[in-house]
mmCIF file of all heavy atoms in Angstrom:
data_model
loop_
_atom_site.group_PDB
_atom_site.id
_atom_site.type_symbol
_atom_site.label_atom_id
_atom_site.label_comp_id
_atom_site.label_asym_id
_atom_site.label_seq_id
_atom_site.Cartn_x
_atom_site.Cartn_y
_atom_site.Cartn_z
ATOM 1 N N VAL A 158 -64.132 51.563 16.332
ATOM 2 C CA VAL A 158 -65.116 50.541 16.722
ATOM 3 C C VAL A 158 -64.316 49.281 17.071
ATOM 4 O O VAL A 158 -63.880 48.556 16.178
ATOM 5 C CB VAL A 158 -66.125 50.262 15.576
ATOM 6 C CG1 VAL A 158 -67.121 49.189 15.996
ATOM 7 C CG2 VAL A 158 -66.837 51.541 15.152
ATOM 8 N N THR A 160 -63.754 45.554 18.004
ATOM 9 C CA THR A 160 -64.552 44.322 17.889
ATOM 10 C C THR A 160 -63.626 43.108 17.995
ATOM 11 O O THR A 160 -62.406 43.226 17.911
ATOM 12 C CB THR A 160 -65.292 44.213 16.530
ATOM 13 O OG1 THR A 160 -64.374 43.730 15.528
ATOM 14 C CG2 THR A 160 -65.886 45.533 16.081
ATOM 15 N N LEU A 171 -72.879 50.117 15.280
ATOM 16 C CA LEU A 171 -71.768 50.900 15.855
ATOM 17 C C LEU A 171 -71.041 51.674 14.747
ATOM 18 O O LEU A 171 -70.707 52.848 14.906
ATOM 19 C CB LEU A 171 -70.750 49.989 16.558
ATOM 20 C CG LEU A 171 -71.221 49.079 17.700
ATOM 21 C CD1 LEU A 171 -70.038 48.309 18.280
ATOM 22 C CD2 LEU A 171 -71.904 49.875 18.792
ATOM 23 N N GLN A 192 -58.990 37.953 27.622
ATOM 24 C CA GLN A 192 -60.293 38.217 28.239
ATOM 25 C C GLN A 192 -61.177 36.978 28.284
ATOM 26 O O GLN A 192 -62.313 37.046 28.736
ATOM 27 C CB GLN A 192 -61.014 39.364 27.529
ATOM 28 C CG GLN A 192 -61.569 39.034 26.151
ATOM 29 C CD GLN A 192 -62.203 40.248 25.502
ATOM 30 O OE1 GLN A 192 -61.530 41.176 25.079
ATOM 31 N NE2 GLN A 192 -63.523 40.261 25.417
ATOM 32 N N ASP A 198 -64.024 28.445 24.744
ATOM 33 C CA ASP A 198 -64.762 29.596 24.229
ATOM 34 C C ASP A 198 -63.848 30.393 23.281
ATOM 35 O O ASP A 198 -64.262 30.804 22.189
ATOM 36 C CB ASP A 198 -65.213 30.471 25.413
ATOM 37 C CG ASP A 198 -66.217 31.532 25.006
ATOM 38 O OD1 ASP A 198 -66.907 31.339 23.979
ATOM 39 O OD2 ASP A 198 -66.323 32.547 25.719
ATOM 40 N N GLU A 200 -61.267 29.220 21.626
ATOM 41 C CA GLU A 200 -60.962 28.445 20.424
ATOM 42 C C GLU A 200 -62.129 28.414 19.447
ATOM 43 O O GLU A 200 -61.940 28.470 18.243
ATOM 44 C CB GLU A 200 -60.548 27.017 20.808
ATOM 45 C CG GLU A 200 -59.057 26.958 21.070
ATOM 46 C CD GLU A 200 -58.626 25.772 21.910
ATOM 47 O OE1 GLU A 200 -59.379 24.778 21.978
ATOM 48 O OE2 GLU A 200 -57.542 25.861 22.521
ATOM 49 N N PRO A 203 -65.900 32.491 16.525
ATOM 50 C CA PRO A 203 -65.807 32.529 15.053
ATOM 51 C C PRO A 203 -64.822 33.582 14.547
ATOM 52 O O PRO A 203 -64.693 34.649 15.144
ATOM 53 C CB PRO A 203 -67.252 32.870 14.627
ATOM 54 C CG PRO A 203 -67.930 33.401 15.840
ATOM 55 C CD PRO A 203 -67.210 32.870 17.044
ATOM 56 N N GLN A 216 -69.697 49.005 4.581
ATOM 57 C CA GLN A 216 -70.139 50.018 5.545
ATOM 58 C C GLN A 216 -69.271 51.278 5.511
ATOM 59 O O GLN A 216 -69.416 52.157 6.348
ATOM 60 C CB GLN A 216 -70.149 49.437 6.969
ATOM 61 C CG GLN A 216 -71.157 48.320 7.171
ATOM 62 C CD GLN A 216 -72.577 48.749 6.825
ATOM 63 O OE1 GLN A 216 -72.974 49.867 7.135
ATOM 64 N NE2 GLN A 216 -73.319 47.887 6.160
ATOM 65 N N ALA A 223 -56.263 44.667 12.189
ATOM 66 C CA ALA A 223 -56.417 43.259 12.575
ATOM 67 C C ALA A 223 -55.047 42.690 12.928
ATOM 68 O O ALA A 223 -54.410 42.014 12.107
ATOM 69 C CB ALA A 223 -57.066 42.477 11.437
ATOM 70 N N PRO A 231 -46.355 40.990 22.366
ATOM 71 C CA PRO A 231 -45.078 40.447 21.892
ATOM 72 C C PRO A 231 -44.296 39.713 22.976
ATOM 73 O O PRO A 231 -43.437 38.895 22.685
ATOM 74 C CB PRO A 231 -44.327 41.677 21.392
ATOM 75 C CG PRO A 231 -45.004 42.842 22.018
ATOM 76 C CD PRO A 231 -46.411 42.448 22.312
ATOM 77 N N ASP A 245 -67.436 43.464 40.254
ATOM 78 C CA ASP A 245 -67.665 42.458 41.300
ATOM 79 C C ASP A 245 -68.879 41.577 41.034
ATOM 80 O O ASP A 245 -68.974 40.470 41.562
ATOM 81 C CB ASP A 245 -67.873 43.146 42.666
ATOM 82 C CG ASP A 245 -66.569 43.682 43.230
ATOM 83 O OD1 ASP A 245 -65.506 43.354 42.667
ATOM 84 O OD2 ASP A 245 -66.619 44.438 44.221
ATOM 85 N N PRO A 253 -63.922 35.179 35.976
ATOM 86 C CA PRO A 253 -62.761 35.795 36.622
ATOM 87 C C PRO A 253 -61.732 36.277 35.599
ATOM 88 O O PRO A 253 -61.396 35.552 34.677
ATOM 89 C CB PRO A 253 -62.194 34.661 37.494
ATOM 90 C CG PRO A 253 -63.026 33.458 37.264
ATOM 91 C CD PRO A 253 -64.158 33.797 36.358
ATOM 92 N N ILE A 269 -52.975 52.746 20.819
ATOM 93 C CA ILE A 269 -52.486 52.464 19.455
ATOM 94 C C ILE A 269 -53.194 53.369 18.436
ATOM 95 O O ILE A 269 -52.558 53.988 17.588
ATOM 96 C CB ILE A 269 -52.715 50.966 19.105
ATOM 97 C CG1 ILE A 269 -51.816 50.071 19.976
ATOM 98 C CG2 ILE A 269 -52.490 50.700 17.620
ATOM 99 C CD1 ILE A 269 -52.194 48.590 19.977
ATOM 100 N N VAL A 270 -54.525 53.448 18.538
ATOM 101 C CA VAL A 270 -55.316 54.174 17.526
ATOM 102 C C VAL A 270 -55.427 55.674 17.874
ATOM 103 O O VAL A 270 -55.534 56.508 17.001
ATOM 104 C CB VAL A 270 -56.727 53.532 17.394
ATOM 105 C CG1 VAL A 270 -57.566 54.256 16.346
ATOM 106 C CG2 VAL A 270 -56.619 52.038 17.046
ATOM 107 N N ASP A 281 -73.497 44.818 26.018
ATOM 108 C CA ASP A 281 -72.468 44.515 27.020
ATOM 109 C C ASP A 281 -72.408 45.697 27.987
ATOM 110 O O ASP A 281 -71.427 46.456 28.019
ATOM 111 C CB ASP A 281 -71.120 44.302 26.327
ATOM 112 C CG ASP A 281 -71.165 43.114 25.377
ATOM 113 O OD1 ASP A 281 -71.562 42.026 25.824
ATOM 114 O OD2 ASP A 281 -70.851 43.281 24.193
ATOM 115 N N ASN A 319 -74.915 33.734 18.974
ATOM 116 C CA ASN A 319 -76.191 33.158 18.526
ATOM 117 C C ASN A 319 -75.969 32.105 17.441
ATOM 118 O O ASN A 319 -76.783 31.204 17.278
ATOM 119 C CB ASN A 319 -77.135 34.246 17.986
ATOM 120 C CG ASN A 319 -77.556 35.225 19.068
ATOM 121 O OD1 ASN A 319 -77.253 35.018 20.239
ATOM 122 N ND2 ASN A 319 -78.236 36.288 18.684
ATOM 123 N N THR A 331 -85.086 33.147 23.439
ATOM 124 C CA THR A 331 -85.846 34.411 23.539
ATOM 125 C C THR A 331 -86.377 34.633 24.950
ATOM 126 O O THR A 331 -86.775 35.736 25.294
ATOM 127 C CB THR A 331 -87.049 34.430 22.572
ATOM 128 O OG1 THR A 331 -87.835 33.276 22.850
ATOM 129 C CG2 THR A 331 -86.613 34.424 21.134
ATOM 130 N N LEU A 337 -86.601 39.797 30.928
ATOM 131 C CA LEU A 337 -86.173 41.188 31.145
ATOM 132 C C LEU A 337 -87.338 42.154 30.943
ATOM 133 O O LEU A 337 -87.530 43.082 31.731
ATOM 134 C CB LEU A 337 -85.034 41.549 30.179
ATOM 135 C CG LEU A 337 -83.686 40.882 30.452
ATOM 136 C CD1 LEU A 337 -82.742 41.052 29.268
ATOM 137 C CD2 LEU A 337 -83.042 41.458 31.716
ATOM 138 N N LYS A 355 -87.201 40.010 40.628
ATOM 139 C CA LYS A 355 -86.316 38.905 40.209
ATOM 140 C C LYS A 355 -87.056 37.571 40.254
ATOM 141 O O LYS A 355 -86.875 36.724 39.390
ATOM 142 C CB LYS A 355 -85.067 38.861 41.106
ATOM 143 C CG LYS A 355 -84.090 39.988 40.791
ATOM 144 C CD LYS A 355 -82.755 39.787 41.447
ATOM 145 C CE LYS A 355 -82.759 40.220 42.880
ATOM 146 N NZ LYS A 355 -81.435 40.159 43.506
ATOM 147 N N GLN A 365 -88.659 27.658 30.317
ATOM 148 C CA GLN A 365 -87.771 26.987 29.345
ATOM 149 C C GLN A 365 -86.737 26.190 30.141
ATOM 150 O O GLN A 365 -85.653 26.694 30.432
ATOM 151 C CB GLN A 365 -87.057 28.021 28.456
ATOM 152 C CG GLN A 365 -87.957 28.815 27.546
ATOM 153 C CD GLN A 365 -88.584 27.973 26.440
ATOM 154 O OE1 GLN A 365 -88.167 26.830 26.202
ATOM 155 N NE2 GLN A 365 -89.592 28.502 25.785
ATOM 156 N N ASP A 379 -74.566 52.907 37.140
ATOM 157 C CA ASP A 379 -73.183 53.404 37.072
ATOM 158 C C ASP A 379 -72.184 52.484 37.770
ATOM 159 O O ASP A 379 -71.161 52.120 37.213
ATOM 160 C CB ASP A 379 -73.072 54.786 37.738
ATOM 161 C CG ASP A 379 -73.867 55.819 36.967
ATOM 162 O OD1 ASP A 379 -73.978 55.653 35.743
ATOM 163 O OD2 ASP A 379 -74.378 56.758 37.595
ATOM 164 N N ARG A 389 -84.152 54.551 41.539
ATOM 165 C CA ARG A 389 -83.661 55.439 40.462
ATOM 166 C C ARG A 389 -83.320 54.578 39.257
ATOM 167 O O ARG A 389 -83.799 53.453 39.167
ATOM 168 C CB ARG A 389 -82.468 56.251 40.952
ATOM 169 C CG ARG A 389 -81.339 55.443 41.493
ATOM 170 C CD ARG A 389 -80.508 56.230 42.509
ATOM 171 N NE ARG A 389 -79.842 55.304 43.380
ATOM 172 C CZ ARG A 389 -78.613 54.858 43.214
ATOM 173 N NH1 ARG A 389 -77.897 55.269 42.199
ATOM 174 N NH2 ARG A 389 -78.079 53.994 44.041
ATOM 175 N N GLY A 400 -77.722 25.179 26.261
ATOM 176 C CA GLY A 400 -76.728 24.177 25.872
ATOM 177 C C GLY A 400 -75.358 24.656 26.344
ATOM 178 O O GLY A 400 -75.180 25.029 27.506
ATOM 179 N N LEU A 404 -75.419 33.327 26.903
ATOM 180 C CA LEU A 404 -75.992 34.553 26.330
ATOM 181 C C LEU A 404 -76.218 35.567 27.433
ATOM 182 O O LEU A 404 -76.608 35.200 28.544
ATOM 183 C CB LEU A 404 -77.337 34.240 25.657
ATOM 184 C CG LEU A 404 -77.318 33.193 24.542
ATOM 185 C CD1 LEU A 404 -78.744 32.884 24.086
ATOM 186 C CD2 LEU A 404 -76.475 33.659 23.352
ATOM 187 N N VAL A 412 -87.177 54.994 36.900
ATOM 188 C CA VAL A 412 -88.451 55.020 37.646
ATOM 189 C C VAL A 412 -88.896 56.460 37.869
ATOM 190 O O VAL A 412 -88.109 57.341 37.967
ATOM 191 C CB VAL A 412 -88.344 54.278 39.000
ATOM 192 C CG1 VAL A 412 -88.136 52.800 38.757
ATOM 193 C CG2 VAL A 412 -87.253 54.832 39.880
#
Side-chain angles (χ1 to χ4, degrees):
V158 179
T160 81
L171 302 182
Q192 73 183 72
D198 192 24
E200 272 159 21
Q216 295 303 320
D245 286 350
I269 293 165
V270 180
D281 298 307
N319 295 353
T331 55
L337 289 167
K355 286 192 279 186
Q365 295 292 347
D379 295 330
R389 55 206 156 95
L404 302 174
V412 293

